[in-house]
Amino acid sequence: MDTNQYKEVFMSEAREHLELLNQYLLELEQDPSNKEILNQIFRSAHTLKGMSATMGYEKIATFAHEIENVLDKFRNAKLSDATLTPERIDLLFELMDTLERLIGNPDSSESIDLSGLEELKSLTEIEEDENKKTKTFKIKVKLSKECVLKLARALVVIRELEKIGFITETKPNREEIENENFDLDFEVLLKTEKDEEEIKNAIGFVPDLERIEIENAELERLEKPKKPALKSIQSVRVSVDRLDTLMDFVGELVINKIRLAQLARKYELSELKETLDSVDRITTELQDEVMQMRLVPVEHIFNRFPRMVRDLAREKGKEINFITEGKEIELDRTILDQISEPLVHLLRNCIDHGIEKPEEREKIGKARVGTIKLIAQRQENHTTIIIEDDGRGIDPEVIKKKGLEKGIISQEDAYKLNDEESMDLIFVSGFSTAEKVTETSGRGVGMDAVKASIGSLGGSIKIDSKVGVGTKITLQLPLTVAIIQCLLVALDNETYAIPISKVIRTIKIKRSEIKTIQGKEVINYRDKIIPLVYLRKILKVPKKREIDKCVVVLVEKSGKEVGLVLDAIISQEEVVIKNLDYKLLKNTKGFAGATILGDGKVVLILDLISLF
Amino acid sequence: MQEEELQLVIFRLKNEEFGVNIHQTQEIIKKPEITRVPNAPSFVEGVINLRGRIIVVIDLNKRLGLEVEGRDENSRIIIVEVDSEVVGMLVDAVTEVLRIPKSNIETAPSLVASQINIEYLQGVGKLKDRLLILLDLNKILSEEEIKQLKQAEML
């Protein structure tokens, strides 16, 4: 069999199982006596073994089999905190890591380190509870003809059996049963410590069971069911590149659609206009569909974190309760890819600097175990990701002091900065609050890199912190990167686009309303003094003539409102972002990208974070 | 034995003739509307829309430190690909495409009657009484050079 074309599929599925394994192990660590979790781990390892064997990856299959054996021993042992000590869970995690390495490179001939495995094997052997040897039973269940809730009854039987043992096989298989593809009979192979009588008691209460037969089936396997008829394909896996290409095409289509609409208006072709209306509707729907296709639940990256948090917390001697919420929230995969690293960095910061050591926490009257929350929320036109800890918080004064020491700000600046502005120093390159560079937080990627990568997605980052209470970091992310709403603004005959997500409101003013306070130009708007920034100066647009009227676009920057002064607002448009990732423009700051308008004109999209 | 030849696109900057390997050029277009990019290096003319792609255009005169005369209808943009990046070069005129034997190219020209910094030259092609200056596009479009240039601007 040519396995190459299936390799990708295998690897992605295997990774999903690994993720599950890690997740279950974390749960098991919290609840070491829970057999059900252990069974789930066993099942995943079993599936992995099967998959690898099918693909001919003997090494992975053998290794998975060994893991299965170890797990089996745990299953047969009496589970308690003493059996599954954190050290042993560590060893199990190590096995998962080895498994991950193997899966990452299934064709490699690299030898595997089996010391952890051996250690676990020898450990568990001692503790095996000899009195409680498991046996395998074949349980045949027949439902009565009058039974109207076939599926429900069958599932209850299976659930009850799972409580007392481990189901190795069912006939028909689980999927078939769950799809109600069986008549009145089904069979279950159960590995359990219980005897026939106890099994019967366990499921005897289920109504509508006409007959229960239990046979000892120590060596028996259920007769292999016939291959089910091919099901129609419900979903396909598509490579991300193809989705990207599709997105590009949709982008082009939108641009050309706008162009056509302009032509129709210009030449007043009403028939063309009618057709265009329907093209318009279809394009919008197409755009929505493609967008939907690119959405991936944040779960994909969130699921990796519990393990990371756990390992790091142990390493740092901290106790942390890690909570994730909103895993089902979906994000464009490009965004998801790009926030993964920043999130790792932020979480590391929480563990390393945020959460105090257990003793320290107790001393100041906090719960011994610190809490880190990772929350995804969907707002109307953006997604928010919040990382919150109940650690020591960030002191703006300390930040300010550090900024002074590192020469990022002058003494004069230090007096002027308010708390929020001081906090913003964290994002200045070259700033790191760590007393010493640690492996955890001092990896060269600083908060400036985090901010830059969130910014490049058109998102923003905000820190709220209370000394002694904790820190909350909020990432605001657009729903999609490719198409955004922009305000097109004019400066003489140049046009620029401002992402609408950054705009609070626009105000028309007369020049005479601009006041000067301490040498800075401001306006008084609704009893608030708002500093002004002249886009013309920043963008070096040659000055032509002074117009009396101008427009101020209020935007938020570093938690403060700033007014951008410009000539006029042209329109609000949906634009397709094209990046300006060119070597020649590497040192040119201030633009999030460019877009092509309906008339073919290129317009630059302002990035308010790096612009001023 | 047939002598190896090089096919060149010949263009004009002020009154000097330059050549660029035809394999490095993608197309030659008339000057479209160019969008200025504020705060970019001074020789960056701006960005253009080339059939839905955004391309950076540099003014080759400025890049090479030559005077810029008023542009006329002869101005062209040569789209080149260097290091897998596509860039447009604004030139005064594109005159012809010609073949030149490799042996006619002097790679280390000792004496050139040109105002161009010798660093940017790849060689000089001699064809009868004409001198064709071959530019080193990698250098002209490289980051290092640009950085130095930026620093010089700031001084």
Side-chain angles (χ1 to χ4, degrees):
Chain A
M1 177 170 73
D2 173 24
T3 53
N4 247 341
Q5 68 182 106
Y6 302 113
K7 190 168 156 188
E8 287 292 306
V9 180
F10 165 78
M11 283 174 62
S12 76
E13 277 179 15
R15 286 216 175 87
E16 279 163 26
H17 278 285
L18 265 177
E19 222 162 67
L20 277 178
L21 282 169
N22 273 312
Q23 203 179 313
Y24 290 145
L25 267 179
L26 284 169
E27 284 174 27
L28 190 65
E29 189 177 32
Q30 297 304 314
D31 187 6
S33 56
N34 191 329
K35 272 235 155 108
E36 182 46 34
I37 301 174
L38 198 59
N39 282 341
Q40 272 165 333
I41 298 175
F42 190 84
R43 239 174 266 138
S44 265
H46 185 78
T47 314
L48 258 178
K49 179 180 84 174
M51 281 164 51
S52 327
T54 317
M55 289 292 291
Y57 298 135
E58 286 306 328
K59 203 145 114 202
I60 304 178
T62 317
F63 190 68
H65 181 72
E66 291 288 345
I67 294 181
E68 230 183 294
N69 283 347
V70 170
L71 291 170
D72 206 27
K73 292 218 165 91
F74 277 122
R75 252 178 21 194
N76 294 339
K78 253 178 92 170
L79 279 187
S80 69
D81 296 4
T83 326
L84 281 164
T85 56
E87 288 71 32
R88 286 179 200 170
I89 298 264
D90 274 347
L91 285 171
L92 281 174
F93 272 125
E94 271 168 35
L95 293 185
M96 297 310 155
D97 290 343
T98 311
L99 198 56
E100 188 172 352
R101 266 203 304 284
L102 286 172
I103 289 166
N105 195 358
D107 302 312
S108 129
S109 53
E110 172 205 352
S111 64
I112 355 175
D113 173 23
L114 291 172
S115 57
L117 193 66
E118 295 305 327
E119 199 175 327
L120 271 175
K121 268 175 157 174
S122 61
L123 272 173
T124 47
E125 243 147 18
I126 309 162
E127 288 148 15
E128 196 166 339
D129 197 338
E130 281 300 321
N131 303 326
K132 295 226 165 169
K133 267 276 182 204
T134 61
K135 277 192 208 151
T136 306
F137 293 99
K138 189 201 288 190
I139 302 149
K140 291 185 185 172
V141 178
K142 191 180 174 70
L143 298 169
S144 67
K145 279 199 206 85
E146 291 76 36
C147 173
V148 281
L149 296 165
K150 262 170 44 180
L151 178 62
R153 302 294 181 239
L155 291 181
V156 171
V157 168
I158 287 171
R159 193 191 64 205
E160 291 304 318
L161 289 176
E162 274 180 338
K163 281 188 191 161
I164 57 167
F166 176 69
I167 295 180
T168 50
E169 275 179 78
T170 66
K171 185 185 156 188
N173 66 32
R174 277 295 264 272
E175 205 181 331
E176 297 274 303
I177 292 182
E178 274 159 28
N179 290 331
E180 227 176 319
N181 269 338
F182 63 100
D183 198 21
L184 293 172
D185 307 271
F186 62 92
E187 292 177 20
V188 177
L189 263 191
L190 181 77
K191 254 183 156 180
T192 177
E193 301 158 355
K194 310 274 192 256
D195 58 25
E196 281 97 328
E197 199 52 41
E198 284 170 300
I199 297 171
K200 215 165 214 163
N201 288 340
I203 54 173
F205 76 94
V206 182
D208 294 333
L209 300 190
E210 192 175 285
R211 196 174 62 233
I212 304 168
E213 281 175 38
I214 299 172
E215 298 166 11
N216 190 324
E218 202 46 56
L219 294 167
E220 199 177 338
R221 290 266 141 180
L222 288 182
E223 178 191 323
K224 280 271 168 245
K226 272 178 267 154
K227 275 211 165 153
L230 274 181
K231 270 196 242 151
S232 60
I233 296 168
Q234 300 289 327
S235 64
V236 283
R237 278 180 191 246
V238 182
S239 85
V240 162
D241 287 348
R242 289 203 146 162
L243 281 184
D244 286 349
T245 315
L246 193 57
M247 194 68 211
D248 281 348
F249 280 135
V250 171
E252 298 296 318
L253 197 58
V254 171
I255 292 170
N256 284 295
K257 179 200 76 182
I258 299 170
R259 173 83 180 125
L260 273 176
Q262 282 176 347
L263 287 176
R265 265 202 304 277
K266 187 172 169 191
Y267 297 105
E268 291 169 3
L269 302 169
S270 61
E271 274 171 274
L272 178 59
K273 221 188 141 286
E274 276 163 35
T275 327
L276 270 173
D277 282 343
S278 89
V279 171
D280 190 37
R281 186 176 43 79
I282 297 166
T283 329
T284 311
E285 274 170 30
L286 182 64
Q287 197 183 316
D288 282 350
E289 280 303 313
V290 175
M291 263 2 159
Q292 289 295 328
M293 275 158 63
R294 295 170 54 87
L295 294 180
V296 180
V298 292
E299 190 174 22
H300 276 261
I301 55 171
F302 276 23
N303 280 353
R304 279 184 246 150
F305 297 141
R307 170 75 197 276
M308 184 197 92
V309 171
R310 172 201 176 271
D311 287 359
L312 208 64
R314 270 177 70 77
E315 190 188 313
K316 299 280 160 193
K318 312 225 168 143
E319 289 179 27
I320 291 168
N321 179 19
F322 183 60
I323 300 167
T324 54
E325 280 172 28
K327 284 204 224 174
E328 71 288 347
I329 303 289
E330 290 178 317
L331 266 181
D332 188 284
R333 54 153 292 277
T334 315
I335 298 179
L336 207 59
D337 279 353
Q338 280 204 41
I339 60 165
S340 175
E341 271 302 307
L343 284 182
V344 168
H345 185 78
L346 294 173
L347 284 171
R348 281 172 175 274
N349 272 348
C350 284
I351 302 163
D352 209 19
H353 311 306
I355 303 287
E356 310 88 337
K357 292 229 152 93
E359 310 76 52
E360 199 182 325
R361 289 181 66 91
E362 277 179 337
K363 219 178 283 168
I364 52 173
K366 280 185 176 180
R368 200 179 151 78
V369 179
T371 305
I372 297 178
K373 280 190 196 163
L374 178 62
I375 304 164
Q377 283 167 352
R378 173 74 178 261
Q379 256 90 26
E380 199 181 333
N381 52 8
H382 61 263
T383 308
T384 321
I385 292 182
I386 300 166
I387 297 151
E388 203 175 352
D389 69 53
D390 64 347
R392 55 172 71 95
I394 307 169
D395 186 346
E397 289 305 317
V398 175
I399 300 288
K400 220 189 263 186
K401 223 178 94 205
K402 276 266 145 71
L404 261 174
E405 276 168 27
K406 307 228 168 178
I408 293 168
I409 50 165
S410 65
Q411 188 67 51
E412 199 187 331
D413 291 334
Y415 288 125
K416 279 195 232 150
L417 294 182
N418 63 22
D419 283 359
E420 203 151 352
E421 285 165 322
S422 304
M423 284 296 214
D424 274 348
L425 291 176
I426 293 175
F427 297 118
V428 177
S429 108
F431 191 97
S432 163
T433 46
E435 288 296 327
K436 54 183 192 285
V437 173
T438 65
E439 197 206 335
T440 323
S441 310
R443 291 199 167 198
V445 279
M447 290 295 277
D448 55 322
V450 169
K451 180 160 190 172
S453 82
I454 303 295
S456 73
L457 292 168
S460 62
I461 181 167
K462 203 174 106 197
I463 301 184
D464 297 298
S465 189
K466 259 207 181 111
V467 179
V469 180
T471 305
K472 179 173 160 187
I473 295 171
T474 312
L475 308 183
Q476 210 185 75
L477 301 164
L479 298 182
T480 168
V481 274
I483 297 179
I484 59 166
Q485 287 280 337
C486 274
L487 214 55
L488 294 183
V489 301
L491 286 166
D492 273 340
N493 34 23
E494 293 189 4
T495 307
Y496 292 92
I498 303 174
I500 213 113
S501 58
K502 312 282 180 198
V503 175
I504 303 167
R505 78 171 53 79
T506 61
I507 322 160
K508 283 190 183 137
I509 58 159
K510 284 187 183 151
R511 296 250 170 217
S512 53
E513 290 175 58
I514 298 175
K515 308 263 182 312
T516 308
I517 295 179
Q518 290 171 344
K520 280 180 184 154
E521 288 182 282
V522 298
I523 51 163
N524 187 339
Y525 178 72
R526 293 189 184 165
D527 295 330
K528 260 196 283 185
I529 302 293
I530 295 164
L532 296 179
V533 168
Y534 286 86
L535 270 190
R536 181 187 294 279
K537 275 185 203 153
I538 293 170
L539 298 171
K540 304 201 174 86
V541 182
K543 200 171 203 165
K544 276 194 180 155
R545 64 206 147 85
E546 197 84 36
I547 323 166
D548 183 43
K549 280 178 192 153
C550 59
V551 176
V552 173
V553 176
L554 280 192
V555 294
E556 198 208 287
K557 183 165 161 114
S558 306
K560 287 207 292 194
E561 285 182 21
V562 178
L564 303 177
V565 183
L566 38 94
D567 291 350
I569 288 170
I570 302 167
S571 61
Q572 183 176 332
E573 302 263 352
E574 208 167 50
V575 304
V576 181
I577 302 186
K578 309 237 171 195
N579 72 30
L580 279 179
D581 212 358
Y582 301 105
K583 273 186 228 147
L584 286 162
L585 300 178
K586 214 179 162 194
N587 296 314
T588 308
K589 298 266 184 292
F591 306 103
T595 188
I596 297 170
L597 296 185
D599 59 4
K601 201 158 119 186
V602 180
V603 165
L604 300 172
I605 301 167
L606 303 182
D607 172 26
L608 300 180
I609 297 167
S610 62
L611 188 64
F612 58 91
Chain B
M1 200 180 86
Q2 206 187 338
E3 203 184 351
E4 264 191 276
E5 284 185 327
L6 214 58
Q7 213 175 349
L8 299 174
V9 174
I10 306 300
F11 58 92
R12 200 166 46 76
L13 295 176
K14 285 195 74 184
N15 37 25
E16 290 188 76
E17 281 190 300
F18 294 79
V20 53
N21 192 330
I22 202 160
H23 292 300
Q24 279 184 301
T25 61
Q26 288 191 343
E27 60 184 302
I28 294 151
I29 56 168
K30 283 193 177 176
K31 195 179 152 194
E33 190 177 350
I34 299 181
T35 302
R36 186 180 68 94
V37 180
N39 306 323
S42 65
F43 59 86
V44 170
E45 187 72 11
V47 286
I48 57 164
N49 165 15
L50 184 69
R51 292 185 301 278
R53 283 177 79 187
I54 291 177
I55 309 279
V56 180
V57 175
I58 67 164
D59 183 326
L60 208 50
N61 278 308
K62 281 191 195 160
R63 180 68 183 97
L64 298 173
L66 299 171
E67 269 171 58
V68 183
E69 286 167 7
R71 304 250 175 254
D72 55 25
E73 71 279 8
N74 289 326
S75 294
R76 292 289 182 278
I77 291 172
I78 306 175
I79 307 290
V80 294
E81 189 181 332
V82 180
D83 268 348
S84 70
E85 209 168 285
V86 179
V87 177
M89 302 191 302
L90 184 60
V91 300
D92 291 347
V94 173
T95 47
E96 61 186 315
V97 174
L98 53 76
R99 289 171 190 275
I100 178 169
K102 272 198 172 162
S103 58
N104 280 22
I105 294 169
E106 201 179 320
T107 47
S110 47
L111 192 82
V112 185
S114 167
Q115 317 169 31
I116 313 290
N117 187 337
I118 204 154
E119 265 190 73
Y120 298 139
L121 301 190
Q122 204 170 42
V124 172
K126 285 179 185 142
L127 207 67
K128 288 178 191 153
D129 55 347
R130 292 162 77 184
L131 272 186
L132 307 170
I133 301 166
L134 307 186
L135 294 172
D136 183 343
L137 293 187
N138 282 305
K139 264 236 172 83
I140 283 179
L141 304 173
S142 93
E143 230 177 290
E144 209 41 51
E145 293 289 313
I146 291 160
K147 249 186 241 155
Q148 285 174 10
L149 220 97
K150 263 219 134 175
Q151 277 164 2
E153 269 170 36
M154 278 150 78
L155 284 175

